[in-house]
Amino acid sequence: MLSSNFYDEVGGRPVFQKLVHEFYQGVAGDPVLKPMYPEEDLGPAEERLLLFLEQYWGGPGTYSEQRGHPRLRMRHMPFKVNPDARDRWLLHMRAALDTLELSPMHEAALWDYLERAAHAMVNTFDE
């Protein structure tokens, strides 16, 4: 019997690609978030987030193979992630998630994780 995981259940790479692509469409026009991305082209950031989410949810381990341990808080420390940035991140991620038409159970699980992750990345309360 084949076992399945969240990644497989929601549709694998195409679903996560759409989520991440839609998310970065929002980020590209966001005056607070866009400056946090070192590359002018958001493509490399899009690829990193895709690989991370795929691995986290049971897909291929390419993220760790290429970048090592995720160390999310450390990787975000150089950027001012305040509550406004967190809320903007969540706004764009919510809009992206809504394009996926996942089952209520899968949508709730993914949103719960994204909310917790966003709150965990806050590293300042300065404006």
Side-chain angles (χ1 to χ4, degrees), residues 20-53:
V20 171
H21 182 73
E22 293 292 331
F23 168 72
Y24 278 108
Q25 293 294 309
V27 168
D30 191 292
V32 171
L33 296 183
K34 176 63 171 81
M36 292 186 191
Y37 292 88
E39 300 97 351
E40 184 58 34
D41 171 20
L42 290 171
E46 189 171 326
E47 181 68 12
R48 289 188 299 269
L49 182 57
L50 171 61
L51 294 177
F52 171 77
L53 289 174

Side-chain angles (χ1 to χ4, degrees), residues 38-123:
E39 300 97 351
E40 184 58 34
D41 171 20
L42 290 171
E46 189 171 326
E47 181 68 12
R48 289 188 299 269
L49 182 57
L50 171 61
L51 294 177
F52 171 77
L53 289 174
E54 283 187 310
Q55 179 173 300
Y56 182 87
W57 290 101
T62 310
Y63 182 92
S64 287
E65 292 166 11
Q66 291 181 0
R67 297 182 53 86
H69 190 280
R71 302 186 315 258
L72 294 181
R73 289 229 3 122
M74 184 204 74
R75 292 185 195 273
H76 289 83
M77 272 305 161
F79 308 103
K80 184 171 88 172
V81 182
N82 62 19
D84 180 46
R86 173 204 61 212
D87 293 347
R88 287 167 177 270
W89 191 93
L90 285 168
L91 176 77
H92 298 301
M93 193 55 82
R94 180 75 251 177
L97 181 57
D98 288 345
T99 70
L100 299 182
E101 300 176 4
L102 298 177
S103 74
M105 179 186 74
H106 290 116
E107 182 274 327
L110 184 52
W111 183 243
D112 178 66
Y113 168 75
L114 294 168
E115 277 192 309
R116 286 184 290 112
H119 283 271
M121 294 305 110
V122 171
N123 57 27

